[in-house]
Amino acid sequence: MKSRSLQVILPSFLVAFAILACSQFSTNPVSVPPTGVAISTIVPDATLEAVAGSTGLGDSLYPGFGNGGYDVTHYLLDFAIHDVATSDLTAIVTIEAIATQDLGSFNLDFVGFDINSLTVNGAEADYSRKGQELIVSPLKPLVDGDMFTVVVQYSGSPEEMQSVALPVQTGWVTVDSGSFVLSEPDGSASFYPVNDHPLDKATYMFRVTVPKPFEVAANGLLIETTDKGDATTFVFDSPSLMASYLTTINIDEFDIETMSSDNGIPIRNYYSTGLSEKVRAPFARQGEMIDYFSGLFGPYPFEVYGALVMDVEFGSALENQTLSIFGIDMVDVDDVEGTELTV
């Protein structure tokens, strides 16, 4: 993330940091493609010493971040936005994970909303909430090594969330023209249940329905757009492992610009409709930057890149994976934006 005071030095660094930030916390977690609802191994209770997963991953600076006892492999975020002005929504989030110990219960990070249903492997599970922790107790304990599926259905509007690490609003932010997501370091829990620590990367799919004329910009490749009359559903696939704080869903009316690097990396940029075309100038050399930094750090590791510029002054920018985000006050039309690509 960058602040206004750093804008002078950031343009010369923005494209290489995104390549590094998206891999710097990797611990090579097991990645298993989603295959539907997993079935846990049934073991007689007498032989199973199932305990609660830890409420943090032992981060040296923020020991309460994330949760232990399992590794998430995939998230499906299915959102229907009913009122863009308030971000009123209903959601179904499906989490595919692997138990890394015998589990009697486990935690997810999640703030706000009314939970309408929560299942583990298709069976209703008990749950409770304490601050940012959502504590889940499956009907049957989970065995070390088992794949399991959690489905959480909920509704409401995201609460305003202040980071415990930085003095800024984080997560889902609703503004006059729509909404944006800027979650470093702990804001993802403001809009979906998550194991919110960079040590537990996963693949993602986003399915977001918004009323017309609004559009959606999210991580990964736009693979499907469905006209539903007075609404549109946008589906994005993000098949590369991603830290939760880099996930982003942004809603506005957008002008979309496409290009590619000389090495063939596709680029799509989203600009809030109504912004001057001068705003696009600093992003015209993104392809050149990708190819240059690939020569320094190795091939660009993702399927697509691009930038999102919101017509809002929020004093920062962030290297969201495959889609860096900028407030309009972070764009210097006389300079080249390279820092967030290189974070």
Side-chain angles (χ1 to χ4, degrees), residues 119-153:
T119 64
V120 177
N121 291 337
E124 292 288 338
D126 291 332
Y127 65 88
S128 60
R129 307 187 75 170
K130 183 178 181 181
Q132 192 167 317
E133 300 293 328
L134 171 59
I135 303 106
V136 181
S137 299
L139 181 64
K140 289 185 175 294
L142 301 170
V143 178
D144 186 6
D146 275 355
M147 292 183 62
F148 64 97
T149 301
V150 182
V151 180
V152 187
Q153 300 185 39

PDB file of all heavy atoms in Angstrom, residues 119-153:
ATOM      1  N   THR A 119     -22.821 -24.774   6.935  1.00  0.00           N
ATOM      2  CA  THR A 119     -22.700 -26.224   6.880  1.00  0.00           C
ATOM      3  C   THR A 119     -21.242 -26.638   6.713  1.00  0.00           C
ATOM      4  O   THR A 119     -20.431 -25.893   6.153  1.00  0.00           O
ATOM      5  CB  THR A 119     -23.514 -26.824   5.709  1.00  0.00           C
ATOM      6  OG1 THR A 119     -22.982 -26.349   4.464  1.00  0.00           O
ATOM      7  CG2 THR A 119     -24.982 -26.437   5.816  1.00  0.00           C
ATOM      8  N   VAL A 120     -20.938 -27.828   7.204  1.00  0.00           N
ATOM      9  CA  VAL A 120     -19.642 -28.469   6.966  1.00  0.00           C
ATOM     10  C   VAL A 120     -19.936 -29.829   6.356  1.00  0.00           C
ATOM     11  O   VAL A 120     -20.666 -30.640   6.940  1.00  0.00           O
ATOM     12  CB  VAL A 120     -18.826 -28.621   8.258  1.00  0.00           C
ATOM     13  CG1 VAL A 120     -17.513 -29.354   7.974  1.00  0.00           C
ATOM     14  CG2 VAL A 120     -18.551 -27.254   8.888  1.00  0.00           C
ATOM     15  N   ASN A 121     -19.424 -30.063   5.160  1.00  0.00           N
ATOM     16  CA  ASN A 121     -19.686 -31.296   4.427  1.00  0.00           C
ATOM     17  C   ASN A 121     -21.183 -31.576   4.291  1.00  0.00           C
ATOM     18  O   ASN A 121     -21.648 -32.714   4.409  1.00  0.00           O
ATOM     19  CB  ASN A 121     -18.980 -32.482   5.077  1.00  0.00           C
ATOM     20  CG  ASN A 121     -17.475 -32.389   4.933  1.00  0.00           C
ATOM     21  OD1 ASN A 121     -16.964 -31.717   4.033  1.00  0.00           O
ATOM     22  ND2 ASN A 121     -16.747 -33.038   5.827  1.00  0.00           N
ATOM     23  N   GLY A 122     -21.947 -30.518   4.053  1.00  0.00           N
ATOM     24  CA  GLY A 122     -23.376 -30.649   3.791  1.00  0.00           C
ATOM     25  C   GLY A 122     -24.251 -30.745   5.022  1.00  0.00           C
ATOM     26  O   GLY A 122     -25.488 -30.736   4.899  1.00  0.00           O
ATOM     27  N   ALA A 123     -23.675 -30.830   6.207  1.00  0.00           N
ATOM     28  CA  ALA A 123     -24.450 -30.945   7.447  1.00  0.00           C
ATOM     29  C   ALA A 123     -24.387 -29.633   8.223  1.00  0.00           C
ATOM     30  O   ALA A 123     -23.327 -28.999   8.307  1.00  0.00           O
ATOM     31  CB  ALA A 123     -23.913 -32.091   8.301  1.00  0.00           C
ATOM     32  N   GLU A 124     -25.527 -29.228   8.778  1.00  0.00           N
ATOM     33  CA  GLU A 124     -25.547 -28.010   9.587  1.00  0.00           C
ATOM     34  C   GLU A 124     -24.539 -28.128  10.729  1.00  0.00           C
ATOM     35  O   GLU A 124     -24.440 -29.168  11.388  1.00  0.00           O
ATOM     36  CB  GLU A 124     -26.943 -27.766  10.157  1.00  0.00           C
ATOM     37  CG  GLU A 124     -27.987 -27.399   9.112  1.00  0.00           C
ATOM     38  CD  GLU A 124     -27.796 -25.986   8.558  1.00  0.00           C
ATOM     39  OE1 GLU A 124     -27.157 -25.154   9.240  1.00  0.00           O
ATOM     40  OE2 GLU A 124     -28.285 -25.706   7.446  1.00  0.00           O
ATOM     41  N   ALA A 125     -23.779 -27.060  10.926  1.00  0.00           N
ATOM     42  CA  ALA A 125     -22.761 -27.045  11.975  1.00  0.00           C
ATOM     43  C   ALA A 125     -23.113 -25.996  13.021  1.00  0.00           C
ATOM     44  O   ALA A 125     -23.756 -24.975  12.712  1.00  0.00           O
ATOM     45  CB  ALA A 125     -21.395 -26.747  11.378  1.00  0.00           C
ATOM     46  N   ASP A 126     -22.712 -26.253  14.247  1.00  0.00           N
ATOM     47  CA  ASP A 126     -22.855 -25.237  15.288  1.00  0.00           C
ATOM     48  C   ASP A 126     -21.796 -24.163  15.083  1.00  0.00           C
ATOM     49  O   ASP A 126     -20.686 -24.442  14.603  1.00  0.00           O
ATOM     50  CB  ASP A 126     -22.674 -25.856  16.672  1.00  0.00           C
ATOM     51  CG  ASP A 126     -23.819 -26.783  17.061  1.00  0.00           C
ATOM     52  OD1 ASP A 126     -24.944 -26.571  16.564  1.00  0.00           O
ATOM     53  OD2 ASP A 126     -23.574 -27.721  17.848  1.00  0.00           O
ATOM     54  N   TYR A 127     -22.132 -22.939  15.437  1.00  0.00           N
ATOM     55  CA  TYR A 127     -21.143 -21.864  15.344  1.00  0.00           C
ATOM     56  C   TYR A 127     -21.438 -20.802  16.384  1.00  0.00           C
ATOM     57  O   TYR A 127     -22.559 -20.682  16.891  1.00  0.00           O
ATOM     58  CB  TYR A 127     -21.117 -21.254  13.940  1.00  0.00           C
ATOM     59  CG  TYR A 127     -22.393 -20.550  13.528  1.00  0.00           C
ATOM     60  CD1 TYR A 127     -22.600 -19.194  13.828  1.00  0.00           C
ATOM     61  CD2 TYR A 127     -23.396 -21.226  12.852  1.00  0.00           C
ATOM     62  CE1 TYR A 127     -23.770 -18.553  13.462  1.00  0.00           C
ATOM     63  CE2 TYR A 127     -24.567 -20.589  12.478  1.00  0.00           C
ATOM     64  CZ  TYR A 127     -24.749 -19.251  12.784  1.00  0.00           C
ATOM     65  OH  TYR A 127     -25.916 -18.617  12.422  1.00  0.00           O
ATOM     66  N   SER A 128     -20.415 -20.056  16.706  1.00  0.00           N
ATOM     67  CA  SER A 128     -20.552 -18.903  17.604  1.00  0.00           C
ATOM     68  C   SER A 128     -19.601 -17.826  17.114  1.00  0.00           C
ATOM     69  O   SER A 128     -18.729 -18.075  16.276  1.00  0.00           O
ATOM     70  CB  SER A 128     -20.231 -19.292  19.059  1.00  0.00           C
ATOM     71  OG  SER A 128     -18.897 -19.780  19.168  1.00  0.00           O
ATOM     72  N   ARG A 129     -19.781 -16.621  17.634  1.00  0.00           N
ATOM     73  CA  ARG A 129     -18.960 -15.504  17.180  1.00  0.00           C
ATOM     74  C   ARG A 129     -18.390 -14.773  18.395  1.00  0.00           C
ATOM     75  O   ARG A 129     -19.065 -14.585  19.408  1.00  0.00           O
ATOM     76  CB  ARG A 129     -19.780 -14.541  16.313  1.00  0.00           C
ATOM     77  CG  ARG A 129     -20.484 -15.246  15.169  1.00  0.00           C
ATOM     78  CD  ARG A 129     -21.155 -14.303  14.211  1.00  0.00           C
ATOM     79  NE  ARG A 129     -20.175 -13.625  13.353  1.00  0.00           N
ATOM     80  CZ  ARG A 129     -20.511 -12.891  12.295  1.00  0.00           C
ATOM     81  NH1 ARG A 129     -21.784 -12.699  11.995  1.00  0.00           N
ATOM     82  NH2 ARG A 129     -19.573 -12.334  11.555  1.00  0.00           N
ATOM     83  N   LYS A 130     -17.119 -14.400  18.266  1.00  0.00           N
ATOM     84  CA  LYS A 130     -16.453 -13.650  19.321  1.00  0.00           C
ATOM     85  C   LYS A 130     -15.517 -12.657  18.660  1.00  0.00           C
ATOM     86  O   LYS A 130     -14.454 -13.027  18.160  1.00  0.00           O
ATOM     87  CB  LYS A 130     -15.681 -14.579  20.259  1.00  0.00           C
ATOM     88  CG  LYS A 130     -15.028 -13.863  21.432  1.00  0.00           C
ATOM     89  CD  LYS A 130     -14.319 -14.841  22.358  1.00  0.00           C
ATOM     90  CE  LYS A 130     -13.686 -14.117  23.542  1.00  0.00           C
ATOM     91  NZ  LYS A 130     -12.976 -15.063  24.449  1.00  0.00           N
ATOM     92  N   GLY A 131     -15.922 -11.389  18.615  1.00  0.00           N
ATOM     93  CA  GLY A 131     -15.126 -10.385  17.924  1.00  0.00           C
ATOM     94  C   GLY A 131     -15.032 -10.722  16.452  1.00  0.00           C
ATOM     95  O   GLY A 131     -16.038 -10.935  15.770  1.00  0.00           O
ATOM     96  N   GLN A 132     -13.809 -10.834  15.955  1.00  0.00           N
ATOM     97  CA  GLN A 132     -13.579 -11.145  14.551  1.00  0.00           C
ATOM     98  C   GLN A 132     -13.565 -12.651  14.290  1.00  0.00           C
ATOM     99  O   GLN A 132     -13.470 -13.079  13.144  1.00  0.00           O
ATOM    100  CB  GLN A 132     -12.257 -10.510  14.096  1.00  0.00           C
ATOM    101  CG  GLN A 132     -12.029 -10.513  12.590  1.00  0.00           C
ATOM    102  CD  GLN A 132     -10.891  -9.607  12.170  1.00  0.00           C
ATOM    103  OE1 GLN A 132     -10.771  -8.490  12.657  1.00  0.00           O
ATOM    104  NE2 GLN A 132     -10.054 -10.081  11.267  1.00  0.00           N
ATOM    105  N   GLU A 133     -13.708 -13.456  15.324  1.00  0.00           N
ATOM    106  CA  GLU A 133     -13.619 -14.914  15.174  1.00  0.00           C
ATOM    107  C   GLU A 133     -15.005 -15.529  14.969  1.00  0.00           C
ATOM    108  O   GLU A 133     -15.942 -15.249  15.722  1.00  0.00           O
ATOM    109  CB  GLU A 133     -12.967 -15.532  16.407  1.00  0.00           C
ATOM    110  CG  GLU A 133     -11.549 -15.054  16.691  1.00  0.00           C
ATOM    111  CD  GLU A 133     -10.554 -15.500  15.625  1.00  0.00           C
ATOM    112  OE1 GLU A 133     -10.749 -16.587  15.043  1.00  0.00           O
ATOM    113  OE2 GLU A 133      -9.585 -14.767  15.388  1.00  0.00           O
ATOM    114  N   LEU A 134     -15.105 -16.375  13.955  1.00  0.00           N
ATOM    115  CA  LEU A 134     -16.270 -17.228  13.738  1.00  0.00           C
ATOM    116  C   LEU A 134     -15.836 -18.648  14.084  1.00  0.00           C
ATOM    117  O   LEU A 134     -14.997 -19.236  13.393  1.00  0.00           O
ATOM    118  CB  LEU A 134     -16.735 -17.127  12.283  1.00  0.00           C
ATOM    119  CG  LEU A 134     -17.820 -18.102  11.813  1.00  0.00           C
ATOM    120  CD1 LEU A 134     -19.100 -17.946  12.637  1.00  0.00           C
ATOM    121  CD2 LEU A 134     -18.112 -17.904  10.322  1.00  0.00           C
ATOM    122  N   ILE A 135     -16.379 -19.197  15.188  1.00  0.00           N
ATOM    123  CA  ILE A 135     -15.956 -20.516  15.672  1.00  0.00           C
ATOM    124  C   ILE A 135     -16.947 -21.557  15.176  1.00  0.00           C
ATOM    125  O   ILE A 135     -18.154 -21.457  15.458  1.00  0.00           O
ATOM    126  CB  ILE A 135     -15.874 -20.542  17.210  1.00  0.00           C
ATOM    127  CG1 ILE A 135     -14.909 -19.446  17.703  1.00  0.00           C
ATOM    128  CG2 ILE A 135     -15.426 -21.903  17.711  1.00  0.00           C
ATOM    129  CD1 ILE A 135     -15.586 -18.254  18.320  1.00  0.00           C
ATOM    130  N   VAL A 136     -16.448 -22.545  14.432  1.00  0.00           N
ATOM    131  CA  VAL A 136     -17.292 -23.547  13.769  1.00  0.00           C
ATOM    132  C   VAL A 136     -17.049 -24.908  14.402  1.00  0.00           C
ATOM    133  O   VAL A 136     -15.902 -25.353  14.524  1.00  0.00           O
ATOM    134  CB  VAL A 136     -16.983 -23.613  12.260  1.00  0.00           C
ATOM    135  CG1 VAL A 136     -17.883 -24.647  11.577  1.00  0.00           C
ATOM    136  CG2 VAL A 136     -17.153 -22.235  11.618  1.00  0.00           C
ATOM    137  N   SER A 137     -18.149 -25.582  14.793  1.00  0.00           N
ATOM    138  CA  SER A 137     -18.062 -26.926  15.357  1.00  0.00           C
ATOM    139  C   SER A 137     -18.833 -27.890  14.461  1.00  0.00           C
ATOM    140  O   SER A 137     -20.069 -27.904  14.461  1.00  0.00           O
ATOM    141  CB  SER A 137     -18.655 -26.950  16.778  1.00  0.00           C
ATOM    142  OG  SER A 137     -17.946 -26.074  17.632  1.00  0.00           O
ATOM    143  N   PRO A 138     -18.138 -28.687  13.646  1.00  0.00           N
ATOM    144  CA  PRO A 138     -18.819 -29.616  12.747  1.00  0.00           C
ATOM    145  C   PRO A 138     -19.620 -30.671  13.514  1.00  0.00           C
ATOM    146  O   PRO A 138     -19.326 -30.971  14.682  1.00  0.00           O
ATOM    147  CB  PRO A 138     -17.667 -30.277  11.969  1.00  0.00           C
ATOM    148  CG  PRO A 138     -16.484 -29.402  12.198  1.00  0.00           C
ATOM    149  CD  PRO A 138     -16.673 -28.764  13.531  1.00  0.00           C
ATOM    150  N   LEU A 139     -20.622 -31.235  12.834  1.00  0.00           N
ATOM    151  CA  LEU A 139     -21.421 -32.302  13.444  1.00  0.00           C
ATOM    152  C   LEU A 139     -20.541 -33.481  13.818  1.00  0.00           C
ATOM    153  O   LEU A 139     -20.698 -34.083  14.878  1.00  0.00           O
ATOM    154  CB  LEU A 139     -22.518 -32.744  12.456  1.00  0.00           C
ATOM    155  CG  LEU A 139     -23.468 -33.844  12.920  1.00  0.00           C
ATOM    156  CD1 LEU A 139     -24.300 -33.364  14.108  1.00  0.00           C
ATOM    157  CD2 LEU A 139     -24.383 -34.281  11.773  1.00  0.00           C
ATOM    158  N   LYS A 140     -19.601 -33.838  12.931  1.00  0.00           N
ATOM    159  CA  LYS A 140     -18.626 -34.891  13.220  1.00  0.00           C
ATOM    160  C   LYS A 140     -17.225 -34.293  13.159  1.00  0.00           C
ATOM    161  O   LYS A 140     -16.954 -33.449  12.294  1.00  0.00           O
ATOM    162  CB  LYS A 140     -18.748 -36.035  12.209  1.00  0.00           C
ATOM    163  CG  LYS A 140     -20.006 -36.877  12.363  1.00  0.00           C
ATOM    164  CD  LYS A 140     -19.981 -38.051  11.404  1.00  0.00           C
ATOM    165  CE  LYS A 140     -21.180 -38.970  11.627  1.00  0.00           C
ATOM    166  NZ  LYS A 140     -21.116 -39.628  12.957  1.00  0.00           N
ATOM    167  N   PRO A 141     -16.332 -34.682  14.042  1.00  0.00           N
ATOM    168  CA  PRO A 141     -14.958 -34.174  13.985  1.00  0.00           C
ATOM    169  C   PRO A 141     -14.310 -34.465  12.637  1.00  0.00           C
ATOM    170  O   PRO A 141     -14.645 -35.434  11.963  1.00  0.00           O
ATOM    171  CB  PRO A 141     -14.257 -34.922  15.120  1.00  0.00           C
ATOM    172  CG  PRO A 141     -15.352 -35.351  16.043  1.00  0.00           C
ATOM    173  CD  PRO A 141     -16.543 -35.622  15.165  1.00  0.00           C
ATOM    174  N   LEU A 142     -13.364 -33.644  12.266  1.00  0.00           N
ATOM    175  CA  LEU A 142     -12.623 -33.811  11.021  1.00  0.00           C
ATOM    176  C   LEU A 142     -11.285 -34.479  11.326  1.00  0.00           C
ATOM    177  O   LEU A 142     -10.629 -34.170  12.326  1.00  0.00           O
ATOM    178  CB  LEU A 142     -12.393 -32.452  10.364  1.00  0.00           C
ATOM    179  CG  LEU A 142     -13.659 -31.663  10.032  1.00  0.00           C
ATOM    180  CD1 LEU A 142     -13.308 -30.233   9.621  1.00  0.00           C
ATOM    181  CD2 LEU A 142     -14.451 -32.353   8.936  1.00  0.00           C
ATOM    182  N   VAL A 143     -10.900 -35.382  10.454  1.00  0.00           N
ATOM    183  CA  VAL A 143      -9.678 -36.156  10.653  1.00  0.00           C
ATOM    184  C   VAL A 143      -8.518 -35.511   9.905  1.00  0.00           C
ATOM    185  O   VAL A 143      -8.690 -34.990   8.791  1.00  0.00           O
ATOM    186  CB  VAL A 143      -9.877 -37.609  10.166  1.00  0.00           C
ATOM    187  CG1 VAL A 143      -8.589 -38.423  10.323  1.00  0.00           C
ATOM    188  CG2 VAL A 143     -11.022 -38.261  10.926  1.00  0.00           C
ATOM    189  N   ASP A 144      -7.376 -35.510  10.517  1.00  0.00           N
ATOM    190  CA  ASP A 144      -6.159 -34.983   9.899  1.00  0.00           C
ATOM    191  C   ASP A 144      -6.006 -35.552   8.483  1.00  0.00           C
ATOM    192  O   ASP A 144      -6.022 -36.762   8.275  1.00  0.00           O
ATOM    193  CB  ASP A 144      -4.958 -35.377  10.763  1.00  0.00           C
ATOM    194  CG  ASP A 144      -3.655 -34.760  10.276  1.00  0.00           C
ATOM    195  OD1 ASP A 144      -3.682 -33.941   9.337  1.00  0.00           O
ATOM    196  OD2 ASP A 144      -2.597 -35.102  10.846  1.00  0.00           O
ATOM    197  N   GLY A 145      -5.867 -34.657   7.496  1.00  0.00           N
ATOM    198  CA  GLY A 145      -5.705 -35.071   6.115  1.00  0.00           C
ATOM    199  C   GLY A 145      -6.985 -35.080   5.304  1.00  0.00           C
ATOM    200  O   GLY A 145      -6.938 -35.189   4.075  1.00  0.00           O
ATOM    201  N   ASP A 146      -8.126 -34.966   5.971  1.00  0.00           N
ATOM    202  CA  ASP A 146      -9.402 -34.948   5.259  1.00  0.00           C
ATOM    203  C   ASP A 146      -9.606 -33.640   4.507  1.00  0.00           C
ATOM    204  O   ASP A 146      -9.292 -32.562   5.007  1.00  0.00           O
ATOM    205  CB  ASP A 146     -10.571 -35.099   6.231  1.00  0.00           C
ATOM    206  CG  ASP A 146     -10.884 -36.537   6.562  1.00  0.00           C
ATOM    207  OD1 ASP A 146     -10.250 -37.426   5.970  1.00  0.00           O
ATOM    208  OD2 ASP A 146     -11.749 -36.765   7.428  1.00  0.00           O
ATOM    209  N   MET A 147     -10.180 -33.751   3.306  1.00  0.00           N
ATOM    210  CA  MET A 147     -10.734 -32.577   2.647  1.00  0.00           C
ATOM    211  C   MET A 147     -12.123 -32.315   3.222  1.00  0.00           C
ATOM    212  O   MET A 147     -12.848 -33.263   3.547  1.00  0.00           O
ATOM    213  CB  MET A 147     -10.838 -32.798   1.137  1.00  0.00           C
ATOM    214  CG  MET A 147      -9.511 -32.889   0.414  1.00  0.00           C
ATOM    215  SD  MET A 147      -9.750 -33.066  -1.376  1.00  0.00           S
ATOM    216  CE  MET A 147     -10.591 -31.525  -1.757  1.00  0.00           C
ATOM    217  N   PHE A 148     -12.475 -31.047   3.365  1.00  0.00           N
ATOM    218  CA  PHE A 148     -13.821 -30.730   3.836  1.00  0.00           C
ATOM    219  C   PHE A 148     -14.294 -29.430   3.190  1.00  0.00           C
ATOM    220  O   PHE A 148     -13.496 -28.647   2.672  1.00  0.00           O
ATOM    221  CB  PHE A 148     -13.887 -30.650   5.366  1.00  0.00           C
ATOM    222  CG  PHE A 148     -13.071 -29.554   6.003  1.00  0.00           C
ATOM    223  CD1 PHE A 148     -13.652 -28.328   6.355  1.00  0.00           C
ATOM    224  CD2 PHE A 148     -11.714 -29.733   6.274  1.00  0.00           C
ATOM    225  CE1 PHE A 148     -12.908 -27.331   6.959  1.00  0.00           C
ATOM    226  CE2 PHE A 148     -10.956 -28.730   6.872  1.00  0.00           C
ATOM    227  CZ  PHE A 148     -11.565 -27.520   7.220  1.00  0.00           C
ATOM    228  N   THR A 149     -15.609 -29.244   3.186  1.00  0.00           N
ATOM    229  CA  THR A 149     -16.233 -28.104   2.529  1.00  0.00           C
ATOM    230  C   THR A 149     -17.093 -27.340   3.528  1.00  0.00           C
ATOM    231  O   THR A 149     -17.923 -27.948   4.222  1.00  0.00           O
ATOM    232  CB  THR A 149     -17.101 -28.558   1.340  1.00  0.00           C
ATOM    233  OG1 THR A 149     -16.289 -29.271   0.410  1.00  0.00           O
ATOM    234  CG2 THR A 149     -17.735 -27.368   0.640  1.00  0.00           C
ATOM    235  N   VAL A 150     -16.892 -26.052   3.596  1.00  0.00           N
ATOM    236  CA  VAL A 150     -17.689 -25.172   4.449  1.00  0.00           C
ATOM    237  C   VAL A 150     -18.502 -24.248   3.543  1.00  0.00           C
ATOM    238  O   VAL A 150     -17.945 -23.657   2.607  1.00  0.00           O
ATOM    239  CB  VAL A 150     -16.801 -24.327   5.378  1.00  0.00           C
ATOM    240  CG1 VAL A 150     -17.652 -23.453   6.306  1.00  0.00           C
ATOM    241  CG2 VAL A 150     -15.861 -25.217   6.185  1.00  0.00           C
ATOM    242  N   VAL A 151     -19.791 -24.129   3.783  1.00  0.00           N
ATOM    243  CA  VAL A 151     -20.637 -23.206   3.041  1.00  0.00           C
ATOM    244  C   VAL A 151     -21.309 -22.264   4.033  1.00  0.00           C
ATOM    245  O   VAL A 151     -22.001 -22.712   4.959  1.00  0.00           O
ATOM    246  CB  VAL A 151     -21.708 -23.946   2.207  1.00  0.00           C
ATOM    247  CG1 VAL A 151     -22.580 -22.937   1.453  1.00  0.00           C
ATOM    248  CG2 VAL A 151     -21.050 -24.910   1.221  1.00  0.00           C
ATOM    249  N   VAL A 152     -21.084 -20.964   3.855  1.00  0.00           N
ATOM    250  CA  VAL A 152     -21.664 -19.944   4.734  1.00  0.00           C
ATOM    251  C   VAL A 152     -22.567 -19.055   3.900  1.00  0.00           C
ATOM    252  O   VAL A 152     -22.120 -18.470   2.900  1.00  0.00           O
ATOM    253  CB  VAL A 152     -20.570 -19.099   5.413  1.00  0.00           C
ATOM    254  CG1 VAL A 152     -21.207 -18.159   6.440  1.00  0.00           C
ATOM    255  CG2 VAL A 152     -19.514 -19.984   6.081  1.00  0.00           C
ATOM    256  N   GLN A 153     -23.826 -18.954   4.308  1.00  0.00           N
ATOM    257  CA  GLN A 153     -24.777 -18.051   3.663  1.00  0.00           C
ATOM    258  C   GLN A 153     -25.078 -16.915   4.624  1.00  0.00           C
ATOM    259  O   GLN A 153     -25.373 -17.159   5.799  1.00  0.00           O
ATOM    260  CB  GLN A 153     -26.065 -18.789   3.284  1.00  0.00           C
ATOM    261  CG  GLN A 153     -25.850 -19.945   2.328  1.00  0.00           C
ATOM    262  CD  GLN A 153     -27.153 -20.580   1.874  1.00  0.00           C
ATOM    263  OE1 GLN A 153     -28.140 -19.890   1.625  1.00  0.00           O
ATOM    264  NE2 GLN A 153     -27.159 -21.905   1.755  1.00  0.00           N
TER     265      GLN A 153
END
